[in-house]
Amino acid sequence: MGSSAVSGLLVLLLVSVSYGLDNGLAGTPPMGWMAWERFRCNTDCIDDLQNCISEALFRDMADRLSEDGWRELGYEYLIIDDCWMLDQRDKEGRLQPDPSRFPGGIAKLARYVHDRGLKLGIYADMGSHTCMGFPGTPLHKIQIDAQTFASWGVDYLKFDGCYSNPVEQMLGYPMMSAALNDTGRPMVYSCSWPAYLGGLPPNVNYSLLGEICHLWRNYDDIEDSWDSVQDIIQWFSDNQDDLQPAAGPGRWNDPDMLIIGNFGLSVDQARSQMALWAVMASPLIMSNDLRNLDPNMRAILQNKVAISINQDPMGVQGRRLLQKKSGIDVYWRPLSNSCSALVFLSRRTDMPYLYHTYLSKLNYEAGSYQVYDVFSGSTRTGLNSTSKFSVSINPSGVVMWYVSPEEPSSQTRSDPAPHRELDSEFRLHKSSIGRLTVL
Ligand code: GLA
């Protein structure tokens, strides 16, 4: 690229940044379903019709999201990942879906999805090719691709970064943000940019990302294994001082998809992923086969209190408070109305571990608290911050608590609505036997 082209782009970039993407979307972490981790780049619709990347697969998932209670819980974005395209642009230079697998086109699929009260996401790549080698979106195609997606009725763009260099990324990610804005169609913008720069400052400028993107991938792709989930949790926790302040309403770190319901996680490990994604204020984007889900896994993904913690309107990302030599890590997330979430995670591999502590040791103010155990459904009232208690945590499992102060706080409770759901859960479970032992 000549120097005049580069300076032209820089001018465009400055103009773009002044029109940042602030369209009011993603006030809480986006929720939905994405094809990649479970269905990858399976384009074999001859021998594997049920599982290939095709409009039929997305229609099936739209049906499941709308008929099996997911949409009402907030899982609203149905997101196409890589491998939807034909390997050539059309005569007008627009990306086009492979007609053998998407015979109705994306606009028709978007209508199908919208008719079911859902939203459609799509994938493109800031570079010469997508990660799987389909046509990319180099700088000079950004405008046309944004316009094409808007004209199809797309609601969400995952913008990957394979086959581009850091200079192109620095220009391209803000340019796409402005181009999406210019379409006039509100779209959620998910940027993979930081993942291509090592995920940390000084290479990554999280203030800029917060201005131009709603969410961003920071780290490696998730795989269907506990090792992968654990590695992601570890990286996000080790780097929380850089990552945690970057998050807030409209701007989220994305540790990648929920793999709950696939082949790699036990029930305990699935609870651990759900709990950690909830306290880390992570997007809850499942990648699994909603047509065929184990009931235990469905219950974890549909746990209303875990979802409500994730979707807390204050939007503060949680932090790892403690890492014990015993292999127990404690996470904490402040929530609206003086409530909070605690997660006790066991990295042990032997047996359930009885962990003893008290709330004042976990930075709680003096007072009395009510605790709701998110996965067992039990409630305990009258837990004093200085009373010793113990929790039994399974290997690679969690105990997750929703904690609320018992005395009404002096703070005015201006918006109790987000907790209505919780309140009814509490009532339901109030009579159940507590799992907590107060010593
Ligand atoms: C990258 C992304 C994945 C997925 C694939 C598709 O690896 O990080 O999430 O989109 O590309 O090729």
Side-chain angles (χ1 to χ4, degrees):
M1 201 186 324
S3 64
S4 62
V6 171
S7 50
L9 282 168
L10 279 173
V11 170
L12 194 61
L13 170 68
L14 292 174
V15 173
S16 312
V17 170
S18 63
Y19 294 111
L21 189 68
D22 184 15
N23 54 16
L25 295 177
T28 59
M31 295 176 64
W33 185 93
M34 183 182 279
W36 180 255
E37 200 292 315
R38 178 63 181 78
F39 295 96
R40 305 285 169 147
C41 196
N42 179 359
T43 53
D44 182 1
C45 294
I46 306 217
D47 288 335
D48 201 8
L49 188 56
Q50 284 293 305
N51 301 302
C52 64
I53 301 300
S54 71
E55 66 182 37
L57 180 73
F58 292 99
R59 278 204 309 264
D60 277 358
M61 295 307 163
D63 292 347
R64 299 282 51 83
L65 285 174
S66 62
E67 290 168 30
D68 297 346
W70 301 99
R71 184 192 54 211
E72 290 73 14
L73 290 165
Y75 291 96
E76 62 172 342
Y77 287 96
L78 176 71
I79 305 162
I80 304 170
D81 207 279
D82 205 347
C83 307
W84 60 271
M85 297 170 199
L86 200 57
D87 54 13
Q88 301 286 336
R89 287 174 176 262
D90 71 9
K91 285 202 293 295
E92 279 78 45
R94 289 173 304 205
L95 294 169
Q96 48 185 339
D98 183 331
S100 67
R101 293 181 288 117
F102 292 85
I106 305 296
K108 190 168 171 205
L109 180 58
R111 279 198 296 279
Y112 189 91
V113 166
H114 294 155
D115 286 348
R116 280 151 188 77
L118 300 167
K119 296 188 168 134
L120 185 69
I122 207 161
Y123 169 100
D125 186 283
M126 164 60 256
S128 63
H129 295 88
T130 73
C131 297
M132 294 308 293
F134 290 85
T137 305
L139 297 173
H140 65 284
K141 295 290 187 196
I142 284 177
Q143 297 296 334
I144 190 171
D145 289 355
Q147 292 292 338
T148 305
F149 298 147
S151 74
W152 286 341
V154 165
D155 307 291
Y156 178 119
L157 173 65
K158 171 175 176 177
F159 204 31
D160 210 344
C162 276
Y163 302 108
S164 59
N165 63 43
V167 174
E168 290 163 335
Q169 290 160 10
M170 190 181 71
L171 297 168
Y173 279 97
M175 269 174 73
M176 178 56 92
S177 180
L180 292 174
N181 232 10
D182 289 347
T183 67
R185 182 174 178 82
M187 284 183 254
V188 170
Y189 181 36
S190 162
C191 300
S192 299
W193 187 13
Y196 288 88
L197 297 171
L200 296 173
N203 290 353
V204 177
N205 177 347
Y206 278 110
S207 325
L208 172 63
L209 274 165
E211 301 284 312
I212 64 165
C213 312
H214 295 107
L215 64 157
W216 45 80
R217 284 282 311 282
N218 317 63
Y219 186 59
D220 293 350
D221 288 3
I222 200 159
E223 302 281 335
D224 192 5
S225 75
W226 174 241
D227 275 356
S228 168
V229 173
Q230 210 179 7
D231 175 57
I232 290 172
I233 294 170
Q234 189 76 29
W235 186 86
F236 277 80
S237 309
D238 288 349
N239 295 299
Q240 62 185 1
D241 289 347
D242 289 317
L243 304 176
Q244 188 265 347
R251 42 177 79 193
W252 309 105
N253 294 301
D254 178 8
D256 215 0
M257 292 156 265
L258 293 169
I259 56 161
I260 298 166
N262 294 326
F263 310 97
L265 300 186
S266 69
V267 167
D268 275 297
Q269 292 162 351
R271 286 179 175 160
S272 298
Q273 192 188 19
M274 191 72 187
L276 266 296
W277 265 234
V279 287
M280 292 195 298
S282 308
L284 297 181
I285 300 179
M286 306 178 278
S287 189
N288 50 16
D289 190 344
L290 296 173
R291 300 167 299 194
N292 180 22
L293 265 194
D294 176 273
N296 289 320
M297 298 298 183
R298 179 188 303 269
I300 293 167
L301 290 162
Q302 297 197 338
N303 185 300
K304 285 185 182 165
V305 183
I307 292 172
S308 153
I309 290 169
N310 174 268
Q311 295 286 300
D312 183 78
M314 215 160 74
V316 177
Q317 183 174 328
R319 295 177 64 89
R320 183 175 63 197
L321 285 183
L322 298 172
Q323 230 187 337
K324 305 299 284 186
K325 278 207 195 72
S326 58
I328 304 302
D329 293 349
V330 183
Y331 289 81
W332 175 78
R333 178 176 175 185
L335 303 171
S336 313
N337 301 319
S338 309
C339 297
S340 57
L342 274 175
V343 172
F344 305 92
L345 167 71
S346 171
R347 289 181 290 103
R348 297 178 69 94
T349 54
D350 51 357
M351 58 185 275
Y353 185 82
L354 207 56
Y355 175 65
H356 306 279
T357 188
Y358 34 96
L359 289 177
S360 61
K361 236 183 166 173
L362 304 176
N363 299 344
Y364 279 76
E365 284 172 14
S368 172
Y369 293 86
Q370 172 172 283
V371 165
Y372 177 77
D373 184 317
V374 174
F375 292 114
S376 78
S378 62
T379 301
R380 175 97 204 183
T381 54
L383 179 62
N384 200 279
S385 51
T386 50
S387 313
K388 209 168 172 197
F389 64 81
S390 67
V391 281
S392 173
I393 316 156
N394 292 344
S396 63
V398 283
V399 169
M400 185 182 202
W401 282 3
Y402 178 89
V403 184
S404 36
E406 284 200 318
E407 269 80 46
S409 76
S410 50
Q411 205 179 308
T412 35
R413 300 192 171 219
S414 51
D415 181 19
H419 294 289
R420 253 178 224 143
E421 203 74 77
L422 270 180
D423 290 345
S424 65
E425 291 271 324
F426 281 136
R427 275 197 295 279
L428 271 177
H429 295 287
K430 253 197 166 142
S431 56
S432 57
I433 296 164
R435 177 175 171 184
L436 266 171
T437 332
V438 177
L439 301 174

